[in-house]
Amino acid sequence: MISQFFILSSKGDPLIYKDFRGDSGGRDVAELFYRKLTGLPGDESPVVMHHHGRHFIHIRHSGLYLVVTTSENVSPFSLLELLSRLATLLGDYCGSLGEGTISRNVALVYELLDEVLDYGYVQTTSTEMLRNFIQTEAVVSKPFSLFDLSSVGLFGAETQQSKVAPSSAASRPVLSSRSDQSQKNEVFLDVVERLSVLIASNGSLLKVDVQGEIRLKSFLPSGSDAHWLDGRVLCGEVRAERLWARNPGR
């Protein structure tokens, strides 16, 4: 179970930060990790560190620190394997793993993290499985060279190159003709819930608080209508309501 994942530059600047469970100290944890790391004597820092009930597991790849935190008793070897696979996955989709490519592909990195980890639990790290769910295309810059004629286009130097993992987003456009009968109308729905319960010493229930949100990502044709069944829990009573939504034009 993972609480946080973040990527730091060689100077400790946070490039990516993802909090999965909300049970930690927020973004200050990344700064705490870097201070603790640089404060250790010697050049070789331990990959597993402990601070006030929180475990830090990290690897260094291409000058970047890939770090996960957890407060549970999780095998550090499994988390090191996860970080290694995440580094490979980011390199596959971004073309290479470095501070510049991560900064240019922030949206892509967060989309990958949403698919790989769900509430801190690993779902998959397979590039082949993820290519059907990732819609964001990578942005990879290439320095201009007079000796590389393939980088020269009609209006000068092209700064994009396609050395990234192939995605099915190009072959499956979000907006397509209504006459296309083979189109798959897809809607992705995530329900995020948090339950807080206060129980007395005698076992009686004192307070129950349920908070949550519904995250919807629609790939329906533009202008289509949809009806959703929304179940709400109010004072221990379940009430279902029909909600009507219209997919706006893109």
Side-chain angles (χ1 to χ4, degrees):
M1 182 187 301
I2 297 173
S3 298
Q4 295 169 310
F5 170 80
F6 50 89
I7 300 178
L8 302 180
S9 68
S10 58
K11 298 180 180 179
D13 299 325
L15 304 177
I16 298 294
Y17 175 85
K18 184 73 173 178
D19 192 345
F20 296 99
R21 304 184 58 83
D23 58 353
S24 56
R27 291 179 176 269
D28 295 338
V29 175
E31 183 180 354
L32 172 65
F33 163 79
Y34 189 75
R35 288 203 312 264
K36 188 174 181 63
L37 184 69
T38 54
L40 295 174
D43 297 332
E44 296 294 333
S45 58
V47 296
V48 180
M49 295 185 295
H50 178 78
H51 181 76
H52 291 176
R54 183 181 294 109
H55 304 282
F56 296 89
I57 297 93
H58 82 280
I59 63 172
R60 189 169 184 179
H61 193 288
S62 301
L64 301 178
Y65 293 100
L66 282 73
V67 190
V68 294
T69 69
T70 179
S71 57
E72 303 292 334
N73 187 17
V74 183
S75 171
F77 296 101
S78 61
L79 296 182
L80 288 173
E81 177 67 19
L82 172 63
L83 290 175
S84 178
R85 294 190 179 186
L86 281 175
T88 302
L89 186 66
L90 294 176
D92 289 342
Y93 274 89
C94 297
S96 63
L97 185 58
E99 183 176 352
T101 54
I102 294 297
S103 300
R104 288 188 294 267
N105 294 277
V106 172
L108 175 59
V109 174
Y110 278 113
E111 188 173 1
L112 284 169
L113 291 177
D114 288 337
E115 297 295 341
V116 172
L117 294 163
D118 184 14
Y119 200 60
Y121 292 95
V122 181
Q123 304 301 310
T124 181
T125 57
S126 172
T127 303
E128 295 297 325
M129 294 183 62
L130 288 171
R131 72 168 58 181
N132 295 322
F133 305 103
I134 302 301
Q135 301 295 327
T136 305
E137 295 294 336
V139 178
V140 183
S141 294
K142 178 182 179 183
F144 172 67
S145 174
L146 293 176
F147 300 98
D148 187 5
L149 298 180
S150 61
S151 65
V152 179
L154 180 60
F155 298 103
E158 298 285 345
T159 58
Q160 306 296 326
Q161 61 179 351
S162 59
K163 293 182 179 180
V164 295
S167 172
S168 63
S171 60
R172 187 189 58 181
V174 175
L175 296 179
S176 60
S177 175
R178 291 178 178 269
S179 61
D180 185 6
Q181 300 297 328
S182 62
Q183 177 190 3
K184 294 182 180 180
N185 298 328
E186 295 178 335
V187 176
F188 297 92
L189 183 66
D190 287 337
V191 180
V192 182
E193 297 178 330
R194 178 178 298 175
L195 178 64
S196 301
V197 182
L198 182 61
I199 302 177
S201 58
N202 58 2
S204 61
L205 188 63
L206 299 180
K207 181 180 179 182
V208 178
D209 185 20
V210 180
Q211 297 178 348
E213 60 180 353
I214 298 177
R215 302 174 182 176
L216 182 65
K217 190 172 185 179
S218 174
F219 296 102
L220 297 175
S222 177
S224 59
D225 298 337
H227 295 271
W228 315 101
L229 180 62
D230 178 31
R232 298 181 180 179
V233 180
L234 296 177
C235 301
E237 179 181 356
V238 179
R239 183 182 67 186
E241 294 183 356
R242 285 282 183 180
L243 298 181
W244 176 86
R246 182 178 183 87
N247 193 35
R250 297 173 184 264

PDB file of all heavy atoms in Angstrom, residues 76-109:
ATOM      1  N   PRO A  76      10.010  -3.943   1.195  1.00  0.00           N
ATOM      2  CA  PRO A  76      10.727  -2.915   0.419  1.00  0.00           C
ATOM      3  C   PRO A  76      11.156  -3.415  -0.954  1.00  0.00           C
ATOM      4  O   PRO A  76      11.288  -2.623  -1.886  1.00  0.00           O
ATOM      5  CB  PRO A  76      11.931  -2.578   1.307  1.00  0.00           C
ATOM      6  CG  PRO A  76      12.115  -3.769   2.182  1.00  0.00           C
ATOM      7  CD  PRO A  76      10.747  -4.335   2.408  1.00  0.00           C
ATOM      8  N   PHE A  77      11.369  -4.722  -1.091  1.00  0.00           N
ATOM      9  CA  PHE A  77      11.782  -5.252  -2.389  1.00  0.00           C
ATOM     10  C   PHE A  77      10.673  -5.116  -3.428  1.00  0.00           C
ATOM     11  O   PHE A  77      10.936  -4.846  -4.602  1.00  0.00           O
ATOM     12  CB  PHE A  77      12.207  -6.717  -2.245  1.00  0.00           C
ATOM     13  CG  PHE A  77      13.410  -6.919  -1.381  1.00  0.00           C
ATOM     14  CD1 PHE A  77      13.281  -7.354  -0.075  1.00  0.00           C
ATOM     15  CD2 PHE A  77      14.683  -6.657  -1.866  1.00  0.00           C
ATOM     16  CE1 PHE A  77      14.393  -7.529   0.725  1.00  0.00           C
ATOM     17  CE2 PHE A  77      15.803  -6.827  -1.068  1.00  0.00           C
ATOM     18  CZ  PHE A  77      15.661  -7.258   0.233  1.00  0.00           C
ATOM     19  N   SER A  78       9.419  -5.293  -2.990  1.00  0.00           N
ATOM     20  CA  SER A  78       8.307  -5.128  -3.927  1.00  0.00           C
ATOM     21  C   SER A  78       8.164  -3.672  -4.362  1.00  0.00           C
ATOM     22  O   SER A  78       7.844  -3.385  -5.520  1.00  0.00           O
ATOM     23  CB  SER A  78       7.002  -5.615  -3.288  1.00  0.00           C
ATOM     24  OG  SER A  78       6.699  -4.853  -2.123  1.00  0.00           O
ATOM     25  N   LEU A  79       8.435  -2.726  -3.451  1.00  0.00           N
ATOM     26  CA  LEU A  79       8.348  -1.311  -3.811  1.00  0.00           C
ATOM     27  C   LEU A  79       9.520  -0.898  -4.692  1.00  0.00           C
ATOM     28  O   LEU A  79       9.359  -0.056  -5.587  1.00  0.00           O
ATOM     29  CB  LEU A  79       8.310  -0.454  -2.547  1.00  0.00           C
ATOM     30  CG  LEU A  79       7.085  -0.657  -1.647  1.00  0.00           C
ATOM     31  CD1 LEU A  79       7.135   0.270  -0.448  1.00  0.00           C
ATOM     32  CD2 LEU A  79       5.794  -0.449  -2.432  1.00  0.00           C
ATOM     33  N   LEU A  80      10.701  -1.472  -4.467  1.00  0.00           N
ATOM     34  CA  LEU A  80      11.833  -1.197  -5.348  1.00  0.00           C
ATOM     35  C   LEU A  80      11.571  -1.735  -6.753  1.00  0.00           C
ATOM     36  O   LEU A  80      11.921  -1.092  -7.751  1.00  0.00           O
ATOM     37  CB  LEU A  80      13.106  -1.815  -4.772  1.00  0.00           C
ATOM     38  CG  LEU A  80      13.691  -1.140  -3.520  1.00  0.00           C
ATOM     39  CD1 LEU A  80      14.846  -1.959  -2.978  1.00  0.00           C
ATOM     40  CD2 LEU A  80      14.144   0.276  -3.845  1.00  0.00           C
ATOM     41  N   GLU A  81      10.940  -2.898  -6.844  1.00  0.00           N
ATOM     42  CA  GLU A  81      10.580  -3.445  -8.152  1.00  0.00           C
ATOM     43  C   GLU A  81       9.549  -2.553  -8.835  1.00  0.00           C
ATOM     44  O   GLU A  81       9.605  -2.337 -10.051  1.00  0.00           O
ATOM     45  CB  GLU A  81      10.032  -4.861  -7.971  1.00  0.00           C
ATOM     46  CG  GLU A  81       9.546  -5.516  -9.254  1.00  0.00           C
ATOM     47  CD  GLU A  81      10.659  -5.804 -10.239  1.00  0.00           C
ATOM     48  OE1 GLU A  81      11.828  -5.829  -9.820  1.00  0.00           O
ATOM     49  OE2 GLU A  81      10.348  -5.996 -11.431  1.00  0.00           O
ATOM     50  N   LEU A  82       8.591  -2.031  -8.063  1.00  0.00           N
ATOM     51  CA  LEU A  82       7.594  -1.127  -8.626  1.00  0.00           C
ATOM     52  C   LEU A  82       8.244   0.140  -9.162  1.00  0.00           C
ATOM     53  O   LEU A  82       7.914   0.600 -10.265  1.00  0.00           O
ATOM     54  CB  LEU A  82       6.551  -0.776  -7.563  1.00  0.00           C
ATOM     55  CG  LEU A  82       5.546   0.315  -7.936  1.00  0.00           C
ATOM     56  CD1 LEU A  82       4.695  -0.122  -9.122  1.00  0.00           C
ATOM     57  CD2 LEU A  82       4.672   0.680  -6.748  1.00  0.00           C
ATOM     58  N   LEU A  83       9.182   0.722  -8.414  1.00  0.00           N
ATOM     59  CA  LEU A  83       9.857   1.930  -8.882  1.00  0.00           C
ATOM     60  C   LEU A  83      10.663   1.663 -10.142  1.00  0.00           C
ATOM     61  O   LEU A  83      10.705   2.502 -11.058  1.00  0.00           O
ATOM     62  CB  LEU A  83      10.775   2.463  -7.779  1.00  0.00           C
ATOM     63  CG  LEU A  83      10.086   3.076  -6.553  1.00  0.00           C
ATOM     64  CD1 LEU A  83      11.106   3.437  -5.493  1.00  0.00           C
ATOM     65  CD2 LEU A  83       9.273   4.300  -6.944  1.00  0.00           C
ATOM     66  N   SER A  84      11.299   0.509 -10.212  1.00  0.00           N
ATOM     67  CA  SER A  84      12.062   0.157 -11.414  1.00  0.00           C
ATOM     68  C   SER A  84      11.138   0.022 -12.622  1.00  0.00           C
ATOM     69  O   SER A  84      11.463   0.483 -13.724  1.00  0.00           O
ATOM     70  CB  SER A  84      12.827  -1.141 -11.173  1.00  0.00           C
ATOM     71  OG  SER A  84      13.536  -1.525 -12.334  1.00  0.00           O
ATOM     72  N   ARG A  85       9.979  -0.577 -12.424  1.00  0.00           N
ATOM     73  CA  ARG A  85       9.032  -0.723 -13.533  1.00  0.00           C
ATOM     74  C   ARG A  85       8.417   0.618 -13.922  1.00  0.00           C
ATOM     75  O   ARG A  85       8.141   0.849 -15.102  1.00  0.00           O
ATOM     76  CB  ARG A  85       7.932  -1.718 -13.152  1.00  0.00           C
ATOM     77  CG  ARG A  85       8.434  -3.145 -12.976  1.00  0.00           C
ATOM     78  CD  ARG A  85       7.303  -4.125 -12.847  1.00  0.00           C
ATOM     79  NE  ARG A  85       7.788  -5.491 -12.699  1.00  0.00           N
ATOM     80  CZ  ARG A  85       7.003  -6.563 -12.684  1.00  0.00           C
ATOM     81  NH1 ARG A  85       5.689  -6.414 -12.801  1.00  0.00           N
ATOM     82  NH2 ARG A  85       7.518  -7.760 -12.536  1.00  0.00           N
ATOM     83  N   LEU A  86       8.197   1.487 -12.943  1.00  0.00           N
ATOM     84  CA  LEU A  86       7.685   2.819 -13.262  1.00  0.00           C
ATOM     85  C   LEU A  86       8.699   3.607 -14.077  1.00  0.00           C
ATOM     86  O   LEU A  86       8.333   4.334 -15.013  1.00  0.00           O
ATOM     87  CB  LEU A  86       7.341   3.569 -11.978  1.00  0.00           C
ATOM     88  CG  LEU A  86       6.015   3.217 -11.299  1.00  0.00           C
ATOM     89  CD1 LEU A  86       5.889   3.956  -9.975  1.00  0.00           C
ATOM     90  CD2 LEU A  86       4.835   3.519 -12.210  1.00  0.00           C
ATOM     91  N   ALA A  87       9.982   3.476 -13.740  1.00  0.00           N
ATOM     92  CA  ALA A  87      11.013   4.160 -14.518  1.00  0.00           C
ATOM     93  C   ALA A  87      11.034   3.661 -15.953  1.00  0.00           C
ATOM     94  O   ALA A  87      11.151   4.447 -16.903  1.00  0.00           O
ATOM     95  CB  ALA A  87      12.373   3.953 -13.854  1.00  0.00           C
ATOM     96  N   THR A  88      10.905   2.347 -16.127  1.00  0.00           N
ATOM     97  CA  THR A  88      10.859   1.783 -17.482  1.00  0.00           C
ATOM     98  C   THR A  88       9.609   2.239 -18.223  1.00  0.00           C
ATOM     99  O   THR A  88       9.666   2.587 -19.415  1.00  0.00           O
ATOM    100  CB  THR A  88      10.894   0.253 -17.413  1.00  0.00           C
ATOM    101  OG1 THR A  88      12.074  -0.165 -16.723  1.00  0.00           O
ATOM    102  CG2 THR A  88      10.889  -0.358 -18.806  1.00  0.00           C
ATOM    103  N   LEU A  89       8.482   2.273 -17.523  1.00  0.00           N
ATOM    104  CA  LEU A  89       7.219   2.677 -18.138  1.00  0.00           C
ATOM    105  C   LEU A  89       7.259   4.140 -18.576  1.00  0.00           C
ATOM    106  O   LEU A  89       6.828   4.480 -19.693  1.00  0.00           O
ATOM    107  CB  LEU A  89       6.075   2.453 -17.158  1.00  0.00           C
ATOM    108  CG  LEU A  89       4.660   2.688 -17.674  1.00  0.00           C
ATOM    109  CD1 LEU A  89       4.309   1.662 -18.742  1.00  0.00           C
ATOM    110  CD2 LEU A  89       3.656   2.597 -16.530  1.00  0.00           C
ATOM    111  N   LEU A  90       7.785   5.014 -17.728  1.00  0.00           N
ATOM    112  CA  LEU A  90       7.888   6.430 -18.083  1.00  0.00           C
ATOM    113  C   LEU A  90       8.835   6.631 -19.257  1.00  0.00           C
ATOM    114  O   LEU A  90       8.609   7.488 -20.120  1.00  0.00           O
ATOM    115  CB  LEU A  90       8.353   7.238 -16.880  1.00  0.00           C
ATOM    116  CG  LEU A  90       7.383   7.309 -15.696  1.00  0.00           C
ATOM    117  CD1 LEU A  90       8.009   8.056 -14.530  1.00  0.00           C
ATOM    118  CD2 LEU A  90       6.074   7.965 -16.102  1.00  0.00           C
ATOM    119  N   GLY A  91       9.908   5.848 -19.289  1.00  0.00           N
ATOM    120  CA  GLY A  91      10.817   5.937 -20.426  1.00  0.00           C
ATOM    121  C   GLY A  91      10.176   5.464 -21.714  1.00  0.00           C
ATOM    122  O   GLY A  91      10.430   6.025 -22.786  1.00  0.00           O
ATOM    123  N   ASP A  92       9.319   4.432 -21.637  1.00  0.00           N
ATOM    124  CA  ASP A  92       8.631   3.935 -22.830  1.00  0.00           C
ATOM    125  C   ASP A  92       7.683   4.975 -23.410  1.00  0.00           C
ATOM    126  O   ASP A  92       7.586   5.143 -24.619  1.00  0.00           O
ATOM    127  CB  ASP A  92       7.857   2.652 -22.502  1.00  0.00           C
ATOM    128  CG  ASP A  92       8.772   1.472 -22.258  1.00  0.00           C
ATOM    129  OD1 ASP A  92       9.946   1.551 -22.676  1.00  0.00           O
ATOM    130  OD2 ASP A  92       8.334   0.487 -21.639  1.00  0.00           O
ATOM    131  N   TYR A  93       6.958   5.679 -22.540  1.00  0.00           N
ATOM    132  CA  TYR A  93       5.941   6.610 -23.012  1.00  0.00           C
ATOM    133  C   TYR A  93       6.491   8.010 -23.291  1.00  0.00           C
ATOM    134  O   TYR A  93       5.947   8.713 -24.142  1.00  0.00           O
ATOM    135  CB  TYR A  93       4.794   6.700 -21.999  1.00  0.00           C
ATOM    136  CG  TYR A  93       3.759   5.627 -22.196  1.00  0.00           C
ATOM    137  CD1 TYR A  93       3.884   4.397 -21.568  1.00  0.00           C
ATOM    138  CD2 TYR A  93       2.666   5.827 -23.035  1.00  0.00           C
ATOM    139  CE1 TYR A  93       2.941   3.404 -21.754  1.00  0.00           C
ATOM    140  CE2 TYR A  93       1.722   4.831 -23.229  1.00  0.00           C
ATOM    141  CZ  TYR A  93       1.863   3.632 -22.583  1.00  0.00           C
ATOM    142  OH  TYR A  93       0.933   2.635 -22.784  1.00  0.00           O
ATOM    143  N   CYS A  94       7.519   8.413 -22.577  1.00  0.00           N
ATOM    144  CA  CYS A  94       8.075   9.753 -22.782  1.00  0.00           C
ATOM    145  C   CYS A  94       9.258   9.769 -23.738  1.00  0.00           C
ATOM    146  O   CYS A  94       9.764  10.833 -24.072  1.00  0.00           O
ATOM    147  CB  CYS A  94       8.493  10.359 -21.435  1.00  0.00           C
ATOM    148  SG  CYS A  94       7.130  10.597 -20.280  1.00  0.00           S
ATOM    149  N   GLY A  95       9.718   8.612 -24.173  1.00  0.00           N
ATOM    150  CA  GLY A  95      10.852   8.528 -25.065  1.00  0.00           C
ATOM    151  C   GLY A  95      12.153   8.370 -24.317  1.00  0.00           C
ATOM    152  O   GLY A  95      13.034   7.640 -24.736  1.00  0.00           O
ATOM    153  N   SER A  96      12.301   9.033 -23.196  1.00  0.00           N
ATOM    154  CA  SER A  96      13.455   8.916 -22.313  1.00  0.00           C
ATOM    155  C   SER A  96      13.041   9.455 -20.949  1.00  0.00           C
ATOM    156  O   SER A  96      12.035  10.150 -20.823  1.00  0.00           O
ATOM    157  CB  SER A  96      14.665   9.681 -22.859  1.00  0.00           C
ATOM    158  OG  SER A  96      14.380  11.070 -22.927  1.00  0.00           O
ATOM    159  N   LEU A  97      13.831   9.116 -19.957  1.00  0.00           N
ATOM    160  CA  LEU A  97      13.526   9.562 -18.596  1.00  0.00           C
ATOM    161  C   LEU A  97      14.556  10.590 -18.174  1.00  0.00           C
ATOM    162  O   LEU A  97      15.736  10.287 -18.012  1.00  0.00           O
ATOM    163  CB  LEU A  97      13.529   8.371 -17.633  1.00  0.00           C
ATOM    164  CG  LEU A  97      13.098   8.679 -16.196  1.00  0.00           C
ATOM    165  CD1 LEU A  97      11.693   9.263 -16.177  1.00  0.00           C
ATOM    166  CD2 LEU A  97      13.167   7.422 -15.344  1.00  0.00           C
ATOM    167  N   GLY A  98      14.119  11.826 -18.003  1.00  0.00           N
ATOM    168  CA  GLY A  98      14.994  12.912 -17.594  1.00  0.00           C
ATOM    169  C   GLY A  98      14.162  14.072 -17.089  1.00  0.00           C
ATOM    170  O   GLY A  98      12.925  14.092 -17.216  1.00  0.00           O
ATOM    171  N   GLU A  99      14.825  15.059 -16.516  1.00  0.00           N
ATOM    172  CA  GLU A  99      14.107  16.211 -15.953  1.00  0.00           C
ATOM    173  C   GLU A  99      13.345  16.968 -17.026  1.00  0.00           C
ATOM    174  O   GLU A  99      12.212  17.405 -16.817  1.00  0.00           O
ATOM    175  CB  GLU A  99      15.101  17.134 -15.253  1.00  0.00           C
ATOM    176  CG  GLU A  99      14.457  18.328 -14.581  1.00  0.00           C
ATOM    177  CD  GLU A  99      15.451  19.177 -13.809  1.00  0.00           C
ATOM    178  OE1 GLU A  99      16.616  18.739 -13.682  1.00  0.00           O
ATOM    179  OE2 GLU A  99      15.062  20.273 -13.351  1.00  0.00           O
ATOM    180  N   GLY A 100      13.945  17.126 -18.209  1.00  0.00           N
ATOM    181  CA  GLY A 100      13.271  17.856 -19.282  1.00  0.00           C
ATOM    182  C   GLY A 100      12.049  17.132 -19.804  1.00  0.00           C
ATOM    183  O   GLY A 100      10.990  17.739 -20.007  1.00  0.00           O
ATOM    184  N   THR A 101      12.157  15.824 -20.030  1.00  0.00           N
ATOM    185  CA  THR A 101      11.017  15.075 -20.570  1.00  0.00           C
ATOM    186  C   THR A 101       9.887  14.969 -19.564  1.00  0.00           C
ATOM    187  O   THR A 101       8.712  15.014 -19.936  1.00  0.00           O
ATOM    188  CB  THR A 101      11.479  13.664 -20.998  1.00  0.00           C
ATOM    189  OG1 THR A 101      12.135  13.021 -19.890  1.00  0.00           O
ATOM    190  CG2 THR A 101      12.431  13.744 -22.163  1.00  0.00           C
ATOM    191  N   ILE A 102      10.216  14.841 -18.276  1.00  0.00           N
ATOM    192  CA  ILE A 102       9.166  14.792 -17.260  1.00  0.00           C
ATOM    193  C   ILE A 102       8.436  16.128 -17.176  1.00  0.00           C
ATOM    194  O   ILE A 102       7.196  16.179 -17.080  1.00  0.00           O
ATOM    195  CB  ILE A 102       9.755  14.407 -15.895  1.00  0.00           C
ATOM    196  CG1 ILE A 102      10.290  12.972 -15.915  1.00  0.00           C
ATOM    197  CG2 ILE A 102       8.714  14.559 -14.795  1.00  0.00           C
ATOM    198  CD1 ILE A 102       9.231  11.930 -16.168  1.00  0.00           C
ATOM    199  N   SER A 103       9.180  17.240 -17.248  1.00  0.00           N
ATOM    200  CA  SER A 103       8.551  18.561 -17.177  1.00  0.00           C
ATOM    201  C   SER A 103       7.640  18.817 -18.372  1.00  0.00           C
ATOM    202  O   SER A 103       6.618  19.497 -18.240  1.00  0.00           O
ATOM    203  CB  SER A 103       9.634  19.651 -17.102  1.00  0.00           C
ATOM    204  OG  SER A 103      10.450  19.482 -15.960  1.00  0.00           O
ATOM    205  N   ARG A 104       8.000  18.301 -19.539  1.00  0.00           N
ATOM    206  CA  ARG A 104       7.170  18.509 -20.728  1.00  0.00           C
ATOM    207  C   ARG A 104       5.980  17.565 -20.800  1.00  0.00           C
ATOM    208  O   ARG A 104       5.057  17.802 -21.584  1.00  0.00           O
ATOM    209  CB  ARG A 104       8.027  18.350 -21.987  1.00  0.00           C
ATOM    210  CG  ARG A 104       8.995  19.483 -22.241  1.00  0.00           C
ATOM    211  CD  ARG A 104       9.664  19.341 -23.588  1.00  0.00           C
ATOM    212  NE  ARG A 104      10.517  18.164 -23.632  1.00  0.00           N
ATOM    213  CZ  ARG A 104      11.822  18.173 -23.342  1.00  0.00           C
ATOM    214  NH1 ARG A 104      12.390  19.304 -22.953  1.00  0.00           N
ATOM    215  NH2 ARG A 104      12.545  17.070 -23.411  1.00  0.00           N
ATOM    216  N   ASN A 105       5.985  16.505 -20.019  1.00  0.00           N
ATOM    217  CA  ASN A 105       4.929  15.493 -20.100  1.00  0.00           C
ATOM    218  C   ASN A 105       4.272  15.264 -18.747  1.00  0.00           C
ATOM    219  O   ASN A 105       4.007  14.124 -18.361  1.00  0.00           O
ATOM    220  CB  ASN A 105       5.504  14.175 -20.632  1.00  0.00           C
ATOM    221  CG  ASN A 105       5.978  14.271 -22.060  1.00  0.00           C
ATOM    222  OD1 ASN A 105       5.202  14.165 -23.005  1.00  0.00           O
ATOM    223  ND2 ASN A 105       7.280  14.468 -22.232  1.00  0.00           N
ATOM    224  N   VAL A 106       4.007  16.357 -18.025  1.00  0.00           N
ATOM    225  CA  VAL A 106       3.399  16.238 -16.700  1.00  0.00           C
ATOM    226  C   VAL A 106       2.018  15.588 -16.792  1.00  0.00           C
ATOM    227  O   VAL A 106       1.678  14.692 -15.995  1.00  0.00           O
ATOM    228  CB  VAL A 106       3.313  17.620 -16.028  1.00  0.00           C
ATOM    229  CG1 VAL A 106       2.521  17.542 -14.736  1.00  0.00           C
ATOM    230  CG2 VAL A 106       4.701  18.162 -15.753  1.00  0.00           C
ATOM    231  N   ALA A 107       1.205  16.011 -17.753  1.00  0.00           N
ATOM    232  CA  ALA A 107      -0.141  15.455 -17.891  1.00  0.00           C
ATOM    233  C   ALA A 107      -0.087  13.962 -18.191  1.00  0.00           C
ATOM    234  O   ALA A 107      -0.882  13.174 -17.656  1.00  0.00           O
ATOM    235  CB  ALA A 107      -0.902  16.197 -18.990  1.00  0.00           C
ATOM    236  N   LEU A 108       0.839  13.552 -19.041  1.00  0.00           N
ATOM    237  CA  LEU A 108       0.986  12.141 -19.383  1.00  0.00           C
ATOM    238  C   LEU A 108       1.423  11.325 -18.173  1.00  0.00           C
ATOM    239  O   LEU A 108       0.910  10.215 -17.941  1.00  0.00           O
ATOM    240  CB  LEU A 108       1.985  11.987 -20.523  1.00  0.00           C
ATOM    241  CG  LEU A 108       2.358  10.556 -20.927  1.00  0.00           C
ATOM    242  CD1 LEU A 108       1.131   9.779 -21.361  1.00  0.00           C
ATOM    243  CD2 LEU A 108       3.401  10.575 -22.039  1.00  0.00           C
ATOM    244  N   VAL A 109       2.336  11.848 -17.374  1.00  0.00           N
ATOM    245  CA  VAL A 109       2.825  11.125 -16.200  1.00  0.00           C
ATOM    246  C   VAL A 109       1.701  10.927 -15.191  1.00  0.00           C
ATOM    247  O   VAL A 109       1.520   9.829 -14.639  1.00  0.00           O
ATOM    248  CB  VAL A 109       4.007  11.871 -15.557  1.00  0.00           C
ATOM    249  CG1 VAL A 109       4.420  11.211 -14.253  1.00  0.00           C
ATOM    250  CG2 VAL A 109       5.192  11.906 -16.508  1.00  0.00           C
TER     251      VAL A 109
END
